[in-house]
Amino acid sequence: MAEDNREPPAGAGTLREALRALLPHRKEELVPELGEKVERSVVQLLWEAAELFCGGRRSECLQASEAILDYSWEKLNTGPWQDVHKDWRRVYAFGCLLKAVCLFEEPGDSAAVAAALKACDMGLLMGAAIHGDILIKVAAVLQAHLPSAKRPGPGLAEEQPSMKKARDDCVSVPDVASERLVPRLRCPSLQHFRKQFLVPGRPVILEGVADQWPCMTKWSLEYIQDIAGCRTVPVEVGSRYTDEDWSQTLMTVDEFISRYVRSESKDVGYLAQHQLFDQIPELKRDISIPDYCCLGDGEEEEITINAWFGPQGTVSPLHQDPQQNFLVQVIGRKYIRLYSPQESEALYPHETHLLHNTSQVDVENPKREKFPRFAEAPFLSCVLSPGEVLFIPARYWHYVRALDLSFSVSFWWS
Amino acid sequence: MAEERRGSWFGFGFCGFGQALGSGRGRQVHSPEPLRTPGAGADVRRVSASWSYTAVVTRGGQVQLSGAADGAAGGCRDAWASEALLVVLRAGRGLGPGPELQAWAPGSALRGEPLWTHTLVPEAEGADGAGGEAQAGALPLLPGARAYVSPRPPFYRPLAPELRARRLELGAEHALLLDEAGQVFSWGQGRHGQLGHGTLEAEPEPRLLEALQGLPMAEVAAGGWHSVCVSETGDIYIWGWNESGQLALPTRSLSEDGKTVAREGEASGLNEGGPEVRRTAGGEEGAPAPFIALQPFPALLDLPGGADAVKASCGSRHTAVVTRTGELYTWGWGKYGQLGHKGTTSLDRPRRVEYFVDKQLQVRAVSCGLWNTYVCAVERGES
């Protein structure tokens, strides 16, 4: 490894040492095992990059890792995502890893450390695990050397937002009392839940099941920013994903909170359907997996846990998912409406393959002439509050609107 | 289709594997440099570039490789480079009088035995005259237009004869076909709008671009996720993914980088954008144009000054067009210098490559690799 002649600042030296300690030292160990799908030319470039890294030629290694990233990115965008070969995602993760550890020339430059952390996050978001989740370890080390005081990013105007932020008077809380409500049960037995709700596919709100989870008391905007503020996450921008104006973008959690949660944004931003707890294992310790998931056929590792974090007013249009769902409410309240799969025709699903699991109807503002049968379709509704768990049976149509600043955690299981 | 005139070839963009690109020693060439082909004066007939290597075919029938694949061989009429396969059309050898199609693994190209071969039937070449010269440069479309080569299995893919294919181009996940009547067909994945039928749905079989019916096209070109065609009257139609501005439509990624794009409404005749059209703030007259992520219908694109286009070629995420008066315009992803404007800026509007104007060169042809661009040009004043 090339040695610097300068005295590096104390903190920086430990950062570099900490990172070097995480990585394999020999280039033979550095390049991940890959199959035939990855072309010979790419493998050649990976070896070259590994050699440059082990030789301490950081800026050349950075250049090579950019090419690795750009090429594997193209593969990740070719064909349906589920058909993308895992080896390409490993190559992408490898490129992110090298980029992350090569990015800072000037240790102590917090912008460079933030950029390195972003590279890790890109690898976590789109790559596949290499070297035993090394990107998570590298991210943790980088994050530890990026104290909140020195974090670059948007200046936060307000310091202490209220959890129950009452923005305007136009919070329209539906008159739920006039609607048929989702039944509520306190800690039903596994057998009772299975017999009365899982097997027949009936929704129910479970109380007393998640209300003692650490997240219920620990999570706040400050806490989330502390643990995850500098991490890059996908954000949906636009009122709802069926709109023409809807798009997805990446930003740090700090940026998301500053732009879409604390301030009066013209646009709605929603950190939606993101496996945040795989990216940031520290948050995973604040949640559990509902016991009732063991009634399913799948393994615990196969359960998909998603975070749903956004301001008042986020909307998920009426849609159905193929798996069973436990929706755990942590912060704020959500208005949720549920329609049985038997009513599907009256919900006018889109005809395209892309949106065939989504209804064309705007539930709280339906076009009655265009969708005449919708008004007659029976439904259940509720306001889901912190500590409560809603069971949404597989294929059950659901519509969700956040009545407050909201954080929910969903568990998709089979 | 006219043969390429005798001229000199130039290249710019990514050459990280040392493929023929001027000086080629660095990883990127940002401004056109003359190609150094072995055998001075060897007339280059076709350049086909993949990501890590480039294949150059001379009029003398030599194919020369440079980059991650190297080597040379003779008796070659045409070559097509992809990362998975190098495909070469060799004049009839061995078994029959017809030409032989050879597919090589790029790493061991032209040495030992090819991965597979396919002898083409001589009469399927059609009435093209001496040895089917005019068909050269058509790969991956095979002579006789009954089939084409794919870099993914099945490698040999038949085409319905009623398609009467003149030209075929492959993108990362789609295919474009130009027929004898100037009609355009597309098939494959459509999630980026690259098929041009107005949806994001895939098409398993060649489907006619109805939006272009009645407008005879002279050229088609396929990029990674976008499609271009040039009409016989010199108009450019473009559709697909615009994430780096490769459609010459405003893209958010470039404006957020701080590179403000002063729009002058160049992309006229804009059809409905797909579901991912996003509108910027404003909406009054004079407001910034909307950002376009996908364009699933062909959009008419005007070049500055209303120049007529004659040739087009696309890389992964960039586009290059040659005009009737011999100018070259490029736009799209520029990170590796593949736009030739002396930098690495990406562009979401066409810009002329000034090098050729400054050197008094008339551009005659363009051929893009994934991340680079090769150009054939002659001195002004030559015919």
Side-chain angles (χ1 to χ4, degrees):
Chain A
M1 283 185 282
E3 293 296 312
D4 268 326
N5 286 332
R6 296 167 290 149
E7 272 295 341
T14 54
L15 173 54
R16 238 193 276 162
E17 277 160 29
L19 286 176
R20 294 235 174 224
L22 288 174
L23 266 58
H25 293 298
R26 300 186 315 122
K27 70 173 191 231
E28 292 77 14
E29 296 166 336
L30 193 50
V31 179
E33 293 264 333
L34 298 166
E36 292 178 348
K37 277 288 178 185
V38 178
E39 295 126 356
R40 203 178 140 275
S41 50
V42 178
V43 176
Q44 189 182 320
L45 184 57
L46 296 181
W47 280 98
E48 201 181 299
E51 191 165 319
L52 288 168
F53 177 75
C54 294
R57 290 155 70 181
R58 193 180 297 127
S59 68
E60 289 170 84
C61 179
L62 195 54
Q63 232 183 358
S65 68
E66 287 283 352
I68 292 167
L69 281 172
D70 287 328
Y71 190 75
S72 55
W73 181 93
E74 296 195 354
K75 296 296 184 187
L76 264 46
N77 281 280
T78 299
W81 176 253
Q82 56 265 30
D83 293 351
V84 172
H85 198 279
K86 208 162 179 188
D87 275 348
W88 285 118
R89 296 177 58 198
R90 291 193 180 101
V91 172
Y92 186 82
F94 183 67
C96 289
L97 176 66
L98 287 185
K99 180 171 175 175
V101 297
C102 287
L103 252 182
F104 39 104
E105 297 286 307
E106 299 293 315
D109 174 2
S110 64
V113 179
L117 186 54
K118 176 165 182 181
C120 286
D121 279 332
M122 294 306 297
L124 287 168
L125 287 173
M126 303 215 291
I130 50 169
H131 301 317
D133 276 330
I134 193 171
L135 282 173
I136 293 195
K137 295 174 188 154
V138 173
V141 168
L142 286 169
Q143 198 169 345
H145 281 79
L146 200 61
S148 13
K150 294 205 194 94
R151 274 208 293 258
L156 304 175
E158 304 109 300
E159 284 299 3
Q160 301 295 334
S162 143
M163 273 314 106
K164 297 182 179 56
K165 196 159 99 106
R167 281 232 279 237
D168 311 308
D169 320 64
C170 24
V171 185
S172 66
V173 182
D175 180 18
V176 184
S178 67
E179 301 176 345
R180 263 182 73 214
L181 296 180
V182 177
R184 287 163 177 271
L185 273 188
R186 184 157 193 90
C187 296
S189 69
L190 291 177
Q191 295 90 316
H192 184 83
F193 172 77
R194 178 208 264 139
K195 184 170 175 203
Q196 300 296 336
F197 299 99
L198 177 58
V199 168
R202 295 206 194 102
V204 61
I205 292 178
L206 304 170
E207 294 170 345
V209 167
D211 55 344
Q212 300 301 315
W213 289 6
C215 58
M216 300 301 170
T217 45
K218 281 172 79 177
W219 287 8
S220 65
L221 279 185
E222 289 80 6
Y223 178 83
I224 290 163
Q225 288 196 264
D226 225 32
I227 303 263
C230 49
R231 304 300 298 269
T232 298
V233 291
V235 171
E236 302 181 353
V237 179
S239 323
R240 54 198 77 198
Y241 69 79
T242 42
D243 275 359
E244 277 200 357
D245 289 4
W246 184 86
S247 66
Q248 289 173 298
T249 186
L250 296 166
M251 64 186 72
T252 64
V253 172
D254 279 340
E255 283 167 349
F256 169 68
I257 291 177
S258 156
R259 225 189 284 183
Y260 296 104
V261 174
R262 288 183 199 263
S263 59
E264 298 277 336
S265 167
K266 190 179 67 66
D267 289 314
V268 173
Y270 196 8
L271 205 181
Q273 196 173 323
H274 175 52
Q275 295 179 51
L276 187 67
F277 309 97
D278 287 345
Q279 183 186 7
I280 306 172
E282 195 178 343
L283 281 176
K284 198 167 185 179
R285 293 191 230 139
D286 296 336
I287 60 173
S288 300
I289 299 197
D291 290 337
Y292 305 92
C293 291
C294 76
L295 297 170
D297 302 320
E299 301 288 330
E300 191 174 292
E301 300 86 55
E302 290 166 352
I303 299 176
T304 304
I305 309 175
N306 277 311
W308 306 79
F309 175 39
Q312 173 194 99
T314 62
V315 169
S316 293
L318 187 63
H319 70 284
Q320 56 179 189
D321 298 312
Q323 291 187 287
Q324 316 286 0
N325 184 359
F326 283 124
L327 184 63
V328 178
Q329 194 60 19
V330 182
I331 296 173
R333 302 162 301 154
K334 277 186 160 151
Y335 171 67
I336 301 172
R337 215 193 266 196
L338 300 165
Y339 289 82
S340 163
Q342 293 170 332
E343 305 301 326
S344 296
E345 278 185 27
L347 305 180
Y348 304 89
H350 285 266
E351 281 168 23
T352 64
H353 175 74
L354 209 61
L355 290 175
H356 72 278
N357 67 340
T358 305
S359 162
Q360 298 179 61
V361 186
D362 180 356
V363 166
E364 292 187 278
N365 191 15
K367 294 190 172 113
R368 298 186 193 279
E369 298 80 41
K370 197 169 176 196
F371 308 116
R373 294 181 56 185
F374 179 74
E376 307 311 312
F379 62 87
L380 297 171
S381 71
C382 65
V383 171
L384 195 68
S385 295
E388 299 177 346
V389 180
L390 172 65
F391 169 61
I392 303 176
R395 299 234 153 272
Y396 222 88
W397 295 88
H398 47 289
Y399 164 89
V400 184
R401 174 163 64 89
L403 302 176
D404 311 306
L405 162 67
S406 164
F407 201 127
S408 319
V409 181
S410 67
F411 297 81
W412 291 346
W413 56 287
S414 295
Chain B
M1 192 166 69
E3 285 192 354
E4 260 116 51
R5 311 280 180 84
R6 288 163 181 267
S8 307
W9 282 82
F10 303 78
F12 43 97
F14 179 73
C15 52
F17 290 88
Q19 57 265 61
L21 258 184
S23 52
R25 299 235 8 262
R27 303 203 157 255
Q28 301 160 20
V29 173
H30 297 173
S31 192
E33 290 187 19
L35 227 57
R36 249 179 337 149
T37 45
D43 240 337
V44 172
R45 163 196 249 173
R46 180 183 184 176
V47 176
S48 175
S50 181
W51 177 62
S52 66
Y53 73 102
T54 299
V56 171
V57 182
T58 69
R59 255 167 244 284
Q62 272 267 313
V63 59
Q64 295 159 356
L65 307 176
S66 58
D70 60 17
C76 169
R77 283 168 43 179
D78 195 5
W80 183 69
S82 76
E83 284 309 293
L85 286 181
L86 166 70
V87 180
V88 175
L89 201 59
R90 308 288 284 270
R93 27 185 258 159
L95 302 174
E100 186 181 62
L101 185 71
Q102 296 180 338
W104 298 81
S108 54
L110 308 177
R111 292 186 286 273
E113 290 303 309
L115 288 178
W116 52 267
T117 63
H118 183 97
T119 307
L120 296 168
V121 183
E123 72 252 23
E125 289 181 39
D128 280 317
E133 280 283 320
Q135 285 286 359
L139 279 181
L141 183 65
L142 295 177
R146 294 306 177 86
Y148 67 98
V149 186
S150 165
R152 288 183 286 269
F155 302 114
Y156 181 88
R157 301 195 180 191
L159 285 169
E162 52 268 22
L163 281 172
R164 289 160 62 232
R166 191 203 311 175
R167 177 116 198 136
L168 185 143
E169 288 252 319
L170 298 178
E173 50 180 22
H174 78 298
L176 286 182
L177 184 150
L178 178 66
D179 77 359
E180 294 290 347
Q183 298 189 117
V184 179
F185 295 77
S186 67
W187 67 99
Q189 293 290 331
R191 73 193 64 250
H192 295 102
Q194 63 266 62
L195 299 183
H197 303 299
T199 72
L200 303 182
E201 306 284 303
E203 292 285 342
E205 296 294 323
R207 178 177 163 185
L208 177 67
L209 264 280
E210 280 150 12
L212 300 176
Q213 249 181 327
L215 298 166
M217 295 296 149
E219 274 257 306
V220 290
W225 301 268
H226 70 295
S227 307
V228 181
C229 60
V230 177
S231 75
E232 287 175 358
T233 51
D235 291 326
I236 304 168
Y237 294 85
I238 193 161
W239 61 97
W241 204 8
N242 189 46
E243 50 74 46
S244 285
Q246 59 264 56
L247 304 190
L249 296 171
T251 184
R252 191 179 337 109
S253 62
L254 294 187
S255 91
E256 274 173 358
D257 286 351
K259 302 167 181 46
T260 41
V261 178
R263 306 302 309 164
E264 287 152 16
E266 278 166 350
S268 59
L270 197 65
N271 293 303
E272 302 90 88
E276 296 197 23
V277 172
R278 193 207 186 281
R279 304 208 169 267
T280 58
E284 307 307 298
E285 208 167 346
F291 293 123
I292 310 265
L294 301 181
Q295 176 62 33
F297 275 116
L300 177 63
L301 170 62
D302 290 325
L303 291 177
D308 282 346
V310 291
K311 296 269 172 76
S313 182
C314 302
S316 279
R317 299 144 72 185
H318 75 287
T319 310
V321 161
V322 181
T323 68
R324 205 183 297 283
T325 52
E327 294 175 330
L328 179 73
Y329 286 82
T330 61
W331 62 90
W333 193 42
K335 180 172 173 180
Y336 291 92
Q338 60 266 56
L339 299 186
H341 302 301
K342 291 190 199 150
T344 56
T345 313
S346 297
L347 287 177
D348 59 4
R349 57 198 314 222
R351 182 178 294 171
R352 188 172 68 178
V353 180
E354 295 301 324
Y355 174 89
F356 299 101
V357 178
D358 296 342
K359 300 271 181 191
Q360 310 255 343
L361 293 166
Q362 273 204 320
V363 175
R364 283 276 171 260
V366 65
S367 176
C368 294
L370 260 65
W371 299 356
N372 46 33
T373 309
Y374 294 89
V375 178
C376 177
V378 300
E379 309 251 330
R380 283 198 182 267
E382 279 183 36
S383 58

